[in-house]
Amino acid sequence: MLDVISLIAVAVVVVLYAVAGVLALTTGRAVPWQQGYLLRPRLWGSGALLFAAGMALARYGGMVRDLTDSDIVFATSLLMLISGGVLQYVAQRAGRLRNRRG
């Protein structure tokens, strides 16, 4: 039962993140929580899609029974997660801090 709940939770997060990535990629507009921080929203969108695909692949890798295949799937998903995060980081404006006071 816990496996099904985990699968549903990860699927919801992946779909929402992928929708945000597609929205930023196709329209060229930043998602509401990133407005003012993104210099290149299309780059952020492609990074979000890559990150969401990495999350989905990592969840699938947990269900693969063969140890060699599981290692390959997990390494690929880790590479996708890191690449997506780097693309999202590069898309942000330099010098913008979120929790700046004063």
Side-chain angles (χ1 to χ4, degrees), residues 17 34 37-52 77-93:
Y17 211 68
Q34 289 286 340
Y37 297 105
L38 291 181
L39 183 62
R40 296 177 286 278
R42 291 182 195 264
L43 183 62
W44 185 89
S46 60
L49 281 176
L50 193 59
F51 195 85
S77 69
L78 190 60
L79 183 64
M80 291 171 74
L81 286 167
I82 291 171
S83 300
V86 166
L87 284 177
Q88 289 177 347
Y89 178 76
V90 169
Q92 293 180 358
R93 293 180 189 258

Side-chain angles (χ1 to χ4, degrees), residues 45-102:
S46 60
L49 281 176
L50 193 59
F51 195 85
M55 282 194 294
L57 192 61
R59 181 63 182 99
Y60 170 72
M63 297 188 308
V64 174
R65 298 287 179 222
D66 187 23
L67 189 58
T68 305
D69 291 343
S70 176
D71 288 344
I72 292 170
V73 168
F74 182 72
T76 305
S77 69
L78 190 60
L79 183 64
M80 291 171 74
L81 286 167
I82 291 171
S83 300
V86 166
L87 284 177
Q88 289 177 347
Y89 178 76
V90 169
Q92 293 180 358
R93 293 180 189 258
R96 292 283 180 133
L97 299 176
R98 292 186 188 278
N99 295 325
R100 224 172 158 176
R101 297 183 190 252

Side-chain angles (χ1 to χ4, degrees), residues 4-26:
V4 173
I5 293 172
S6 170
L7 181 65
I8 292 170
V10 170
V12 167
V13 170
V14 165
V15 166
L16 289 176
Y17 211 68
V19 166
V22 167
L23 189 69
L25 190 62
T26 57

